[in-house]
Amino acid sequence: MKIISTCLLMISLFITPAKWYSNFNEAKKEAAKTNKLILLNFSGSDWCSPCIQMKKNIFESDAFAQFAAENLVLANADFPRQKKHKLSTEQKKLNETLAAAYNPDGKFPYTLLLTGGGKVLHKWDGLPELSAQQFVDVIKQHMDENR
């Protein structure tokens, strides 16, 4: 059992965390180049408790991180409130433009699975009541349907 635990620890050390794009246009370019779907997350990283839980329980999980690194382009539009996390004027404008297109009601967290061209395939409104693996399974289902 100790050997298995050690092996799992060693494997987890080699998992490269997936890159999160803060510029949606760059994410779309990467998705087009790699023929991957985009996962777009709207968050309030320093004030939204469900957003913080989603990041910790789903996005930072091994199951999601491994899957996302190989299969998704990740994009985040963050809307922090604390001064120490203040966004640049340019980033704030990018996020507001993206919210106008995909999240006009200002929901947090709000997560969308999109084609590389920006077509919405699935939406998660709020914190999903799913394990990280179940979250990945929903994405896999949409990937299979859109091949």
Side-chain angles (χ1 to χ4, degrees):
M1 193 62 150
K2 186 175 181 181
I3 293 172
I4 293 171
S5 296
T6 304
C7 289
L8 289 173
L9 176 63
M10 296 285 290
I11 291 169
S12 69
L13 293 175
F14 293 105
I15 297 170
T16 304
K19 176 181 179 177
W20 284 88
Y21 287 84
S22 57
N23 183 317
F24 187 66
N25 291 325
E26 290 177 10
K28 283 177 68 175
K29 287 177 188 173
E30 180 66 18
K33 185 172 84 174
T34 59
N35 198 30
K36 294 180 181 180
L37 297 179
I38 300 169
L39 188 78
L40 171 60
N41 177 252
F42 290 89
S43 65
S45 64
D46 63 4
W47 61 270
C48 170
S49 179
C51 299
I52 295 165
Q53 289 177 349
M54 187 169 192
K55 181 179 178 186
K56 179 182 176 191
N57 297 334
I58 295 178
F59 298 147
E60 292 180 350
S61 72
D62 287 343
F64 178 82
Q66 288 174 348
F67 176 78
E70 295 178 20
N71 298 286
L72 297 172
V73 175
L74 304 174
N76 178 254
D78 192 27
F79 292 83
R81 291 183 179 167
Q82 296 178 14
K83 285 187 180 187
K84 66 182 177 181
H85 299 132
K86 186 177 178 180
L87 302 175
S88 69
T89 303
E90 178 185 349
Q91 186 63 54
K92 190 174 179 181
K93 186 175 179 180
L94 285 171
N95 291 358
E96 288 171 353
T97 301
L98 195 55
Y102 289 103
N103 188 10
D105 296 330
K107 299 174 182 180
F108 295 97
Y110 191 61
T111 308
L112 302 102
L113 183 64
L114 309 163
T115 65
K119 178 186 169 196
V120 177
L121 300 175
H122 191 80
K123 301 174 188 177
W124 291 269
D125 187 350
L127 177 64
E129 293 184 17
L130 303 169
S131 69
Q133 186 58 57
Q134 290 169 326
F135 188 84
V136 166
D137 290 343
V138 171
I139 296 170
K140 285 180 181 177
Q141 178 183 346
H142 287 285
M143 289 176 72
D144 291 342
E145 292 171 2
N146 288 280
R147 287 187 189 236

Coordinates of all heavy atoms in Angstrom, one line a residue, residues 23-89:
N23 N -7.5 36.3 -21.3 CA -7.9 36.9 -22.5 C -8.6 35.9 -23.3 O -8.0 34.9 -23.9 CB -6.7 37.5 -23.3 CG -7.0 38.2 -24.5 OD1 -7.9 37.8 -25.3 ND2 -6.4 39.4 -24.7
F24 N -9.9 36.1 -23.5 CA -10.8 35.1 -24.2 C -10.4 35.0 -25.6 O -10.5 33.9 -26.2 CB -12.2 35.5 -24.0 CG -13.2 34.5 -24.6 CD1 -13.3 33.2 -24.0 CD2 -14.0 34.7 -25.7 CE1 -14.1 32.2 -24.5 CE2 -14.8 33.8 -26.2 CZ -14.9 32.5 -25.6
N25 N -10.0 36.0 -26.3 CA -9.5 36.0 -27.7 C -8.3 35.1 -27.8 O -8.2 34.3 -28.8 CB -9.3 37.4 -28.2 CG -10.5 38.2 -28.4 OD1 -11.6 37.7 -28.7 ND2 -10.4 39.5 -28.1
E26 N -7.4 35.1 -26.9 CA -6.3 34.2 -26.9 C -6.7 32.8 -26.7 O -6.2 31.8 -27.4 CB -5.2 34.6 -25.9 CG -4.5 35.9 -26.2 CD -3.5 36.3 -25.1 OE1 -3.3 35.5 -24.2 OE2 -3.0 37.5 -25.2
A27 N -7.7 32.6 -25.8 CA -8.2 31.2 -25.6 C -8.9 30.7 -26.8 O -8.7 29.5 -27.2 CB -9.2 31.3 -24.4
K28 N -9.6 31.5 -27.5 CA -10.3 31.1 -28.8 C -9.2 30.7 -29.8 O -9.4 29.7 -30.6 CB -11.2 32.2 -29.3 CG -12.5 32.2 -28.6 CD -13.4 33.3 -29.0 CE -13.9 33.1 -30.4 NZ -14.9 34.1 -30.8
K29 N -8.1 31.5 -30.0 CA -7.1 31.1 -30.9 C -6.4 29.8 -30.6 O -6.2 29.0 -31.5 CB -6.0 32.2 -30.9 CG -6.5 33.5 -31.6 CD -5.4 34.6 -31.5 CE -5.9 35.9 -32.0 NZ -4.9 37.0 -31.8
E30 N -6.2 29.6 -29.3 CA -5.6 28.3 -28.9 C -6.5 27.2 -29.1 O -6.1 26.1 -29.6 CB -5.2 28.4 -27.4 CG -4.6 27.1 -26.8 CD -3.2 26.8 -27.4 OE1 -2.6 27.7 -28.0 OE2 -2.8 25.6 -27.3
A31 N -7.8 27.3 -28.9 CA -8.8 26.3 -29.1 C -8.9 26.0 -30.6 O -9.0 24.8 -31.0 CB -10.2 26.7 -28.6
A32 N -8.8 27.0 -31.4 CA -8.9 26.7 -32.9 C -7.6 26.0 -33.3 O -7.7 25.1 -34.2 CB -9.0 28.1 -33.6
K33 N -6.5 26.4 -32.8 CA -5.2 25.8 -33.2 C -5.1 24.3 -32.7 O -4.6 23.5 -33.4 CB -4.1 26.6 -32.5 CG -2.7 26.1 -32.9 CD -1.6 27.1 -32.4 CE -1.2 26.7 -31.0 NZ -0.1 27.5 -30.5
T34 N -5.7 24.0 -31.6 CA -5.5 22.7 -31.0 C -6.8 21.8 -31.1 O -6.8 20.7 -30.7 CB -5.2 22.8 -29.5 OG1 -6.2 23.5 -28.8 CG2 -3.8 23.4 -29.3
N35 N -7.9 22.4 -31.7 CA -9.1 21.7 -31.9 C -9.7 21.2 -30.6 O -10.1 20.1 -30.4 CB -9.0 20.6 -32.9 CG -10.3 20.1 -33.4 OD1 -11.3 20.9 -33.5 ND2 -10.5 18.9 -33.8
K36 N -9.7 22.1 -29.6 CA -10.2 21.8 -28.2 C -11.4 22.6 -27.9 O -11.6 23.7 -28.5 CB -9.1 22.0 -27.2 CG -7.9 21.1 -27.3 CD -6.9 21.4 -26.2 CE -5.7 20.4 -26.3 NZ -4.7 20.7 -25.2
L37 N -12.2 22.2 -27.0 CA -13.3 23.0 -26.4 C -12.8 24.0 -25.4 O -11.7 23.8 -24.8 CB -14.4 22.1 -25.8 CG -15.1 21.1 -26.7 CD1 -16.1 20.3 -25.9 CD2 -15.7 21.8 -27.9
I38 N -13.5 25.0 -25.1 CA -13.2 26.0 -24.2 C -14.1 25.9 -22.9 O -15.3 25.8 -23.1 CB -13.3 27.5 -24.7 CG1 -12.5 27.7 -26.0 CG2 -13.0 28.5 -23.7 CD1 -12.8 28.9 -26.8
L39 N -13.5 25.9 -21.8 CA -14.2 26.0 -20.5 C -14.0 27.4 -20.0 O -12.9 27.8 -19.7 CB -13.8 25.0 -19.5 CG -14.7 24.9 -18.3 CD1 -15.9 24.1 -18.6 CD2 -13.9 24.3 -17.1
L40 N -15.1 28.2 -20.0 CA -15.1 29.6 -19.5 C -15.7 29.7 -18.2 O -16.9 29.3 -18.0 CB -15.8 30.5 -20.6 CG -16.1 31.9 -20.2 CD1 -14.7 32.7 -19.9 CD2 -16.9 32.6 -21.3
N41 N -15.0 30.3 -17.2 CA -15.5 30.4 -15.9 C -15.5 31.9 -15.5 O -14.5 32.6 -15.6 CB -14.6 29.6 -14.9 CG -15.0 29.8 -13.5 OD1 -14.3 30.4 -12.7 ND2 -16.1 29.2 -13.1
F42 N -16.7 32.3 -15.0 CA -16.8 33.6 -14.4 C -16.8 33.5 -12.9 O -17.5 32.7 -12.3 CB -18.2 34.3 -14.8 CG -18.3 34.6 -16.2 CD1 -18.7 33.7 -17.2 CD2 -17.9 35.9 -16.7 CE1 -18.8 34.1 -18.5 CE2 -17.9 36.3 -18.0 CZ -18.4 35.3 -18.9
S43 N -15.9 34.2 -12.3 CA -15.7 34.1 -10.8 C -15.4 35.4 -10.1 O -15.1 36.4 -10.8 CB -14.4 33.2 -10.6 OG -13.3 33.8 -11.0
G44 N -15.7 35.4 -8.9 CA -15.4 36.5 -7.9 C -14.4 35.8 -7.0 O -14.8 35.4 -5.9
S45 N -13.1 35.8 -7.3 CA -12.1 35.0 -6.6 C -11.9 35.4 -5.2 O -11.4 34.6 -4.4 CB -10.8 35.0 -7.4 OG -10.3 36.4 -7.4
D46 N -12.2 36.6 -4.8 CA -11.9 37.0 -3.5 C -13.1 37.3 -2.6 O -13.0 37.8 -1.5 CB -10.9 38.2 -3.4 CG -11.4 39.4 -4.1 OD1 -12.6 39.5 -4.5 OD2 -10.6 40.4 -4.2
W47 N -14.3 37.1 -3.1 CA -15.5 37.4 -2.4 C -16.6 36.3 -2.5 O -17.5 36.2 -1.7 CB -16.0 38.7 -2.8 CG -16.4 38.8 -4.2 CD1 -15.6 39.3 -5.2 CD2 -17.7 38.5 -4.8 NE1 -16.3 39.2 -6.4 CE2 -17.6 38.8 -6.2 CE3 -18.9 38.1 -4.3 CZ2 -18.6 38.5 -7.1 CZ3 -19.9 37.8 -5.2 CH2 -19.8 38.1 -6.6
C48 N -16.6 35.5 -3.6 CA -17.6 34.6 -3.9 C -17.3 33.2 -3.3 O -16.5 32.5 -3.9 CB -17.8 34.5 -5.4 SG -18.9 33.2 -6.0
S49 N -17.9 32.8 -2.2 CA -17.6 31.6 -1.6 C -17.8 30.4 -2.5 O -17.0 29.5 -2.6 CB -18.5 31.4 -0.3 OG -18.2 30.2 0.3
P50 N -18.9 30.3 -3.2 CA -19.1 29.2 -4.2 C -18.0 29.1 -5.2 O -17.6 28.1 -5.7 CB -20.5 29.4 -4.8 CG -21.2 30.2 -3.8 CD -20.2 31.1 -3.2
C51 N -17.5 30.3 -5.7 CA -16.4 30.4 -6.7 C -15.2 29.8 -6.1 O -14.4 29.0 -6.7 CB -16.2 31.8 -7.1 SG -17.5 32.6 -7.9
I52 N -14.9 30.1 -4.8 CA -13.7 29.6 -4.2 C -13.8 28.1 -4.0 O -12.8 27.4 -4.2 CB -13.5 30.4 -2.8 CG1 -13.2 31.9 -3.1 CG2 -12.4 29.7 -2.0 CD1 -13.3 32.8 -1.9
Q53 N -15.0 27.6 -3.6 CA -15.2 26.2 -3.4 C -15.0 25.5 -4.8 O -14.4 24.4 -4.8 CB -16.5 25.9 -2.9 CG -16.7 26.3 -1.4 CD -18.1 26.0 -0.9 OE1 -19.0 25.8 -1.7 NE2 -18.3 26.2 0.4
M54 N -15.5 26.0 -5.8 CA -15.4 25.4 -7.2 C -14.0 25.3 -7.6 O -13.5 24.3 -8.1 CB -16.2 26.2 -8.2 CG -16.3 25.5 -9.5 SD -17.5 26.3 -10.6 CE -17.6 25.1 -11.9
K55 N -13.2 26.4 -7.4 CA -11.8 26.3 -7.7 C -11.1 25.2 -6.9 O -10.4 24.4 -7.5 CB -11.2 27.7 -7.4 CG -9.7 27.7 -7.8 CD -9.1 29.1 -7.5 CE -7.6 29.1 -7.8 NZ -6.9 30.3 -7.4
K56 N -11.3 25.2 -5.6 CA -10.6 24.2 -4.8 C -11.1 22.8 -5.0 O -10.3 21.9 -5.2 CB -10.9 24.6 -3.3 CG -10.3 23.6 -2.3 CD -10.6 24.0 -0.9 CE -10.0 22.9 0.0 NZ -10.5 23.1 1.4
N57 N -12.4 22.6 -5.1 CA -12.9 21.2 -5.2 C -13.0 20.6 -6.6 O -12.9 19.4 -6.8 CB -14.3 21.1 -4.6 CG -14.3 21.5 -3.1 OD1 -13.3 21.3 -2.4 ND2 -15.4 22.0 -2.6
I58 N -13.1 21.4 -7.6 CA -13.1 20.9 -9.0 C -11.9 21.3 -9.8 O -11.1 20.4 -10.2 CB -14.4 21.4 -9.7 CG1 -15.6 20.8 -9.0 CG2 -14.4 21.0 -11.2 CD1 -17.0 21.2 -9.5
F59 N -11.6 22.6 -9.9 CA -10.6 23.0 -10.8 C -9.2 22.6 -10.4 O -8.3 22.4 -11.2 CB -10.6 24.5 -11.1 CG -11.9 25.0 -11.8 CD1 -12.4 26.2 -11.5 CD2 -12.6 24.2 -12.7 CE1 -13.6 26.6 -12.1 CE2 -13.7 24.6 -13.3 CZ -14.2 25.8 -13.0
E60 N -9.0 22.6 -9.1 CA -7.7 22.2 -8.5 C -7.5 20.7 -8.2 O -6.5 20.2 -7.8 CB -7.3 23.0 -7.3 CG -7.1 24.5 -7.6 CD -6.8 25.3 -6.4 OE1 -6.9 24.8 -5.2 OE2 -6.4 26.5 -6.6
S61 N -8.6 19.9 -8.5 CA -8.5 18.5 -8.3 C -7.7 17.8 -9.3 O -7.5 18.3 -10.5 CB -9.9 17.9 -8.4 OG -10.4 17.9 -9.7
D62 N -7.1 16.7 -9.0 CA -6.2 15.9 -9.9 C -7.1 15.5 -11.1 O -6.6 15.5 -12.3 CB -5.6 14.7 -9.2 CG -4.5 15.1 -8.3 OD1 -4.0 16.2 -8.4 OD2 -4.1 14.2 -7.4
A63 N -8.3 15.0 -10.9 CA -9.1 14.5 -12.0 C -9.4 15.6 -13.0 O -9.2 15.3 -14.2 CB -10.5 14.0 -11.4
F64 N -9.7 16.8 -12.6 CA -10.0 17.8 -13.5 C -8.7 18.3 -14.2 O -8.6 18.5 -15.4 CB -10.7 19.0 -12.9 CG -10.9 20.2 -13.8 CD1 -12.0 20.1 -14.7 CD2 -10.1 21.2 -13.9 CE1 -12.2 21.2 -15.6 CE2 -10.3 22.3 -14.8 CZ -11.3 22.2 -15.6
A65 N -7.6 18.5 -13.3 CA -6.4 19.1 -13.9 C -5.8 18.2 -14.9 O -5.3 18.7 -16.0 CB -5.4 19.3 -12.7
Q66 N -5.8 16.9 -14.7 CA -5.3 15.9 -15.7 C -6.1 16.0 -17.0 O -5.5 16.1 -18.1 CB -5.3 14.5 -15.2 CG -4.2 14.3 -14.1 CD -4.4 12.9 -13.5 OE1 -5.4 12.2 -13.7 NE2 -3.4 12.5 -12.7
F67 N -7.4 16.0 -16.9 CA -8.2 16.0 -18.0 C -8.1 17.3 -18.8 O -8.0 17.3 -20.0 CB -9.7 15.8 -17.6 CG -10.7 15.9 -18.7 CD1 -10.8 14.8 -19.6 CD2 -11.4 17.0 -18.9 CE1 -11.7 14.9 -20.7 CE2 -12.3 17.1 -20.0 CZ -12.4 16.1 -20.9
A68 N -8.2 18.4 -18.1 CA -8.1 19.7 -18.7 C -6.8 20.0 -19.4 O -6.8 20.6 -20.5 CB -8.4 20.8 -17.7
A69 N -5.7 19.6 -18.9 CA -4.4 19.8 -19.5 C -4.3 19.2 -20.9 O -3.7 19.7 -21.7 CB -3.3 19.3 -18.6
E70 N -5.0 18.1 -21.1 CA -5.0 17.4 -22.3 C -6.1 17.7 -23.3 O -6.0 17.5 -24.5 CB -4.9 15.9 -22.1 CG -3.7 15.4 -21.4 CD -3.7 13.9 -21.1 OE1 -4.5 13.2 -21.8 OE2 -3.0 13.5 -20.2
N71 N -7.3 18.2 -22.7 CA -8.5 18.2 -23.5 C -9.2 19.6 -23.6 O -10.1 19.7 -24.4 CB -9.5 17.2 -23.0 CG -9.0 15.8 -23.1 OD1 -8.9 15.3 -24.1 ND2 -8.6 15.3 -21.9
L72 N -8.8 20.6 -22.8 CA -9.6 21.8 -22.8 C -8.6 23.0 -22.9 O -7.5 23.0 -22.5 CB -10.3 22.0 -21.5 CG -11.4 20.9 -21.2 CD1 -11.9 21.1 -19.8 CD2 -12.6 21.0 -22.2
V73 N -9.2 24.1 -23.3 CA -8.6 25.4 -23.2 C -9.4 26.1 -22.1 O -10.6 26.2 -22.2 CB -8.6 26.2 -24.5 CG1 -8.1 27.6 -24.3 CG2 -7.9 25.5 -25.6
L74 N -8.8 26.6 -21.1 CA -9.4 27.2 -19.9 C -9.3 28.7 -20.0 O -8.3 29.2 -20.2 CB -8.8 26.7 -18.6 CG -8.8 25.1 -18.5 CD1 -8.0 24.8 -17.2 CD2 -10.2 24.6 -18.4
A75 N -10.5 29.3 -19.7 CA -10.5 30.8 -19.7 C -11.3 31.2 -18.4 O -12.2 30.6 -18.0 CB -11.2 31.3 -20.9
N76 N -10.8 32.3 -17.8 CA -11.4 32.8 -16.6 C -11.6 34.3 -16.7 O -10.7 35.0 -17.1 CB -10.5 32.5 -15.4 CG -11.1 33.0 -14.1 OD1 -10.6 34.0 -13.6 ND2 -12.2 32.4 -13.6
A77 N -12.8 34.7 -16.4 CA -13.1 36.2 -16.3 C -13.4 36.4 -14.8 O -14.5 36.0 -14.3 CB -14.3 36.5 -17.1
D78 N -12.4 37.0 -14.1 CA -12.5 37.2 -12.7 C -13.0 38.6 -12.4 O -12.6 39.6 -13.1 CB -11.2 36.9 -12.0 CG -11.3 36.8 -10.5 OD1 -12.3 36.5 -10.0 OD2 -10.2 37.1 -9.9
F79 N -13.8 38.7 -11.4 CA -14.3 40.0 -10.9 C -14.1 40.2 -9.4 O -15.0 40.2 -8.6 CB -15.8 40.1 -11.2 CG -16.1 40.2 -12.7 CD1 -16.2 39.0 -13.5 CD2 -16.3 41.4 -13.3 CE1 -16.4 39.1 -14.8 CE2 -16.6 41.5 -14.7 CZ -16.6 40.3 -15.4
P80 N -12.8 40.4 -9.1 CA -12.4 40.5 -7.6 C -12.9 41.9 -7.1 O -13.1 42.8 -7.9 CB -10.9 40.5 -7.6 CG -10.5 40.9 -9.0 CD -11.6 40.5 -9.9
R81 N -13.1 42.0 -5.8 CA -13.6 43.2 -5.2 C -12.5 43.9 -4.3 O -12.6 45.1 -4.1 CB -14.8 43.0 -4.4 CG -16.0 42.6 -5.2 CD -17.2 42.4 -4.4 NE -18.4 42.1 -5.2 CZ -19.5 41.7 -4.7 NH1 -19.7 41.5 -3.4 NH2 -20.5 41.4 -5.6
Q82 N -11.6 43.1 -3.8 CA -10.6 43.7 -2.9 C -9.5 44.5 -3.6 O -9.1 44.1 -4.7 CB -9.9 42.6 -2.1 CG -10.8 41.8 -1.1 CD -10.1 40.7 -0.4 OE1 -8.9 40.6 -0.4 NE2 -10.9 39.8 0.2
K83 N -9.1 45.6 -3.1 CA -8.2 46.5 -3.7 C -6.9 45.8 -4.1 O -6.3 46.0 -5.1 CB -7.9 47.7 -2.9 CG -9.0 48.7 -2.9 CD -8.6 50.0 -2.2 CE -9.8 51.0 -2.2 NZ -9.4 52.3 -1.7
K84 N -6.5 44.8 -3.2 CA -5.2 44.2 -3.5 C -5.3 43.2 -4.7 O -4.2 42.8 -5.2 CB -4.7 43.4 -2.2 CG -5.6 42.2 -1.8 CD -5.0 41.6 -0.5 CE -5.9 40.5 0.0 NZ -5.4 39.9 1.2
H85 N -6.5 42.9 -5.1 CA -6.6 42.0 -6.3 C -7.2 42.8 -7.5 O -7.6 42.2 -8.5 CB -7.6 40.9 -6.0 CG -7.1 40.0 -4.9 ND1 -7.9 39.6 -3.8 CD2 -5.9 39.5 -4.6 CE1 -7.2 38.9 -3.0 NE2 -6.0 38.8 -3.5
K86 N -7.1 44.1 -7.4 CA -7.6 45.0 -8.5 C -7.0 44.6 -9.8 O -5.8 44.5 -10.0 CB -7.3 46.5 -8.1 CG -8.0 47.4 -9.1 CD -7.7 48.9 -8.7 CE -8.3 49.8 -9.7 NZ -8.1 51.2 -9.3
L87 N -7.9 44.5 -10.8 CA -7.4 44.2 -12.2 C -7.0 45.5 -12.9 O -7.4 46.6 -12.6 CB -8.6 43.6 -13.0 CG -9.2 42.3 -12.4 CD1 -10.4 41.9 -13.2 CD2 -8.2 41.2 -12.3
S88 N -6.2 45.3 -13.9 CA -5.8 46.4 -14.8 C -7.1 46.9 -15.5 O -8.1 46.2 -15.7 CB -4.8 46.0 -15.8 OG -5.4 45.1 -16.8
T89 N -7.1 48.1 -16.0 CA -8.2 48.7 -16.7 C -8.5 47.9 -17.9 O -9.6 47.6 -18.3 CB -7.9 50.2 -17.1 OG1 -7.7 50.9 -15.9 CG2 -9.1 50.8 -17.8

